[in-house]
Amino acid sequence: MKPTLFLLAAGMGSRYGGLKQLDGLGPNGETIMDYSIYDAIQAGFGKIVWVIRKDFEEQFRTQILSKYEHKVPCELCFQALDALPEGFSVPEGRVKPWGTNHAVLMGKDVIKEPFCVINCDDFYGRDAFMQIGKFLANLPEGSKNEYAMVGFRCCNTLSENGSVARGVCAYNEKRHLTDVVERTEILRQADKGNAICFKDEQGEWQPLDENVPVSMNMWGFTPDYFDYSEAYFKEFLSDPKNMENLKAEFFIPLMVNKLINDGTATCEVLDTTSKWFGVTYAADRQATVDRIQQLVDEGVYPNKLF
């Protein structure tokens, strides 16, 4: 069964007024998302699903969905603040939805096959899609509890214009994920021989291996993941501190960490040679445009994608 690509796009049209995700960076106005979808199709994915906000549906169908519908089966699902399990209600004053794993939960009714979750505004690269596509396509039918994430080499995920936040991953001898630690400031330090460093909890800079795998929110799951997420979301909402904190979020790593620590599931860390890039800072935009043009010039992508 061909895997599905599941794009987290519920932030589109809100934080950036749609501009960041719809910014034309390719030679014919292609967005970063266009390249992800093109790469996924090349890697054997058979369906594209987006999770968006309901109030953005009409604009999304006109501006975005119309480009892909004739190329590959497409589906939409919707993340809403009040999409909660029975018996729970939105705390007074809460305005923001419940995070990335809540967004993933919205796909339960439309995704019945192995699937890859990505952000819509990160450039992941062809090899990354090939690695996760191969993993998902090779799972035996009916597989459960065997997941994966693409572990980008840290040196391939930095910005020249400032620090980045990355989930630094540890794994065992089977390359099964054992831990993800969010490091909010990672960059090259000129005074430390241009070594990659991260700022620790005490505010001290510590060295980080060039090739240590980091999470860029590119995950591979099977549909049983929805059931675990549904059950754990109820636990999350039952914790008073998560209801009192109006910005508490139900993140994918939170769910994955629980499943691997419980021994319920494994998550293989897949290596990739892909170089991530994106527009973390305004100054990153031109470098991203130039990098895409270079890939077009090298023949990795056609001049016009769709």
Side-chain angles (χ1 to χ4, degrees):
M1 187 179 288
K2 287 187 172 185
T4 284
L5 181 67
F6 191 15
L7 292 112
L8 305 183
M12 187 181 286
S14 56
R15 285 176 301 170
Y16 307 103
L19 293 178
K20 182 178 177 184
Q21 294 92 335
L22 299 182
D23 192 5
L25 301 169
N28 287 282
E30 291 88 354
T31 65
I32 284 179
M33 184 167 63
D34 289 329
Y35 287 97
S36 289
I37 291 168
Y38 183 87
D39 280 340
I41 293 169
Q42 298 295 307
F45 284 74
K47 184 169 78 176
I48 313 295
V49 177
W50 291 264
V51 56
I52 64 170
R53 296 189 346 260
K54 184 69 177 173
D55 64 339
F56 193 44
E57 180 179 8
E58 189 177 339
Q59 185 185 355
F60 192 92
R61 287 188 183 279
T62 304
Q63 273 186 265
I64 298 163
L65 208 61
S66 58
K67 277 197 287 193
Y68 310 118
E69 282 180 310
H70 62 294
K71 300 282 186 187
V72 64
C74 296
E75 298 258 16
L76 293 181
C77 56
F78 305 97
Q79 184 181 23
L81 180 61
D82 59 357
L84 298 175
E86 194 173 337
F88 294 93
S89 56
V90 179
E92 188 177 345
R94 174 137 195 152
V95 295
K96 191 178 180 185
W98 300 87
T100 51
N101 211 58
H102 178 244
V104 169
L105 255 177
M106 301 302 105
K108 183 177 183 181
D109 292 336
V110 296
I111 298 176
K112 306 297 181 187
E113 54 283 316
F115 63 100
C116 170
V117 177
I118 65 167
N119 299 329
C120 67
D121 53 358
D122 285 309
F123 192 105
Y124 292 101
R126 180 79 48 79
D127 184 69
F129 284 99
M130 290 292 185
Q131 298 300 331
I132 194 82
K134 181 180 174 184
F135 174 89
L136 294 171
N138 287 343
L139 288 172
E141 193 170 341
S143 281
K144 294 183 175 183
N145 306 329
E146 291 184 43
Y147 310 141
M149 60 155 280
V150 176
F152 283 74
R153 299 171 190 178
C154 188
C155 60
N156 288 336
T157 73
L158 304 179
S159 168
E160 294 180 3
N161 298 300
S163 66
V164 295
R166 301 285 180 255
V168 178
C169 302
Y171 57 87
N172 63 20
E173 68 284 352
K174 294 181 178 178
R175 284 198 70 91
H176 288 168
L177 185 69
T178 56
D179 196 22
V180 181
V181 179
E182 189 68 21
R183 297 297 182 187
T184 56
E185 289 187 67
I186 299 176
L187 77 173
R188 289 197 181 275
Q189 290 277 44
D191 61 349
K192 294 184 184 294
N194 213 32
I196 301 174
C197 298
F198 71 90
K199 189 177 279 188
D200 67 14
E201 291 79 1
Q202 286 71 48
E204 301 291 325
W205 288 101
Q206 304 293 344
L208 200 57
D209 187 272
E210 294 273 324
N211 292 313
V212 67
V214 297
S215 170
M216 299 304 302
N217 219 29
M218 191 177 204
W219 301 90
F221 299 121
T222 45
D224 52 295
Y225 184 79
F226 292 121
D227 297 325
Y228 295 128
S229 296
E230 215 163 41
Y232 193 42
F233 191 37
K234 291 175 184 175
E235 282 187 45
F236 178 90
L237 295 171
S238 297
D239 186 335
K241 76 173 187 292
N242 290 329
M243 296 302 267
E244 290 162 11
N245 177 2
L246 299 179
K247 293 185 177 178
E249 295 194 50
F250 185 45
F251 290 121
I252 295 170
L254 183 72
M255 183 74 249
V256 172
N257 270 333
K258 175 180 167 53
L259 293 173
I260 61 177
N261 290 331
D262 286 353
T264 303
T266 58
C267 183
E268 186 173 336
V269 180
L270 306 175
D271 183 37
T272 181
T273 56
S274 283
K275 294 186 177 181
W276 168 93
F277 52 93
V279 189
T280 304
Y281 300 96
D284 291 332
R285 187 185 185 281
Q286 189 56 50
T288 298
V289 169
D290 294 344
R291 178 73 181 128
I292 290 172
Q293 185 61 57
Q294 182 185 347
L295 290 168
V296 171
D297 293 343
E298 291 170 357
V300 177
Y301 296 104
N303 192 58
K304 186 170 175 58
L305 284 186
F306 295 104

